[in-house]
Amino acid sequence: QSVTIFLLAPSYEELENRLRGRGTDTDESIEARLDMARQETNYVGHFDYVVVNDNIDDAANKIMSIITAEKCRGARNTDLLEDVLKVNKEMEGK
């Protein structure tokens, strides 16, 4: 029962600026990473959620919201739901 999140840079230009701004990669490495990012973007439709990482705090909050929402999904709480329904039936019988 996995949930997939595609973390997306706001643009390829911004991704390139971030990679170059780190000053840790060669031009060849950066170009390879940008090519990989373009290829990976083709699969965005296979993910449950997409979060644009335009602001780190906003992106983190969105991811935390996704996690919270997924924890509350009825399908993930079948034991709790069965207990509630059992109590409701017992209450109706009184």
Side-chain angles (χ1 to χ4, degrees):
Q1 292 186 357
S2 66
V3 175
T4 56
I5 302 172
F6 193 99
L7 190 59
L8 185 65
S11 68
Y12 291 113
E13 294 79 17
E14 179 61 23
L15 177 58
E16 182 175 3
N17 290 338
R18 290 176 183 181
L19 293 171
R20 292 194 186 284
R22 293 177 187 165
T24 57
D25 296 306
T26 64
D27 285 342
E28 294 82 19
S29 175
I30 291 171
E31 289 304 320
R33 291 186 67 181
L34 291 171
D35 286 342
M36 182 61 73
R38 286 184 188 92
Q39 291 174 29
E40 290 172 345
T41 303
N42 291 324
Y43 298 98
V44 70
H46 296 274
F47 287 74
D48 298 312
Y49 297 92
V50 177
V51 174
V52 177
N53 186 12
D54 51 356
N55 174 285
I56 189 71
D57 291 329
D58 290 344
N61 286 333
K62 288 175 185 174
I63 291 169
M64 292 304 299
S65 294
I66 291 167
I67 292 168
T68 299
E70 287 296 324
K71 285 181 178 179
C72 294
R73 241 184 223 276
R76 295 186 189 280
N77 292 289
T78 54
D79 291 342
L80 172 66
L81 295 174
E82 287 174 10
D83 289 345
V84 169
L85 292 173
K86 183 179 175 182
V87 168
N88 285 349
K89 284 185 179 183
E90 290 172 359
M91 297 290 286
E92 289 173 1
K94 289 185 177 183

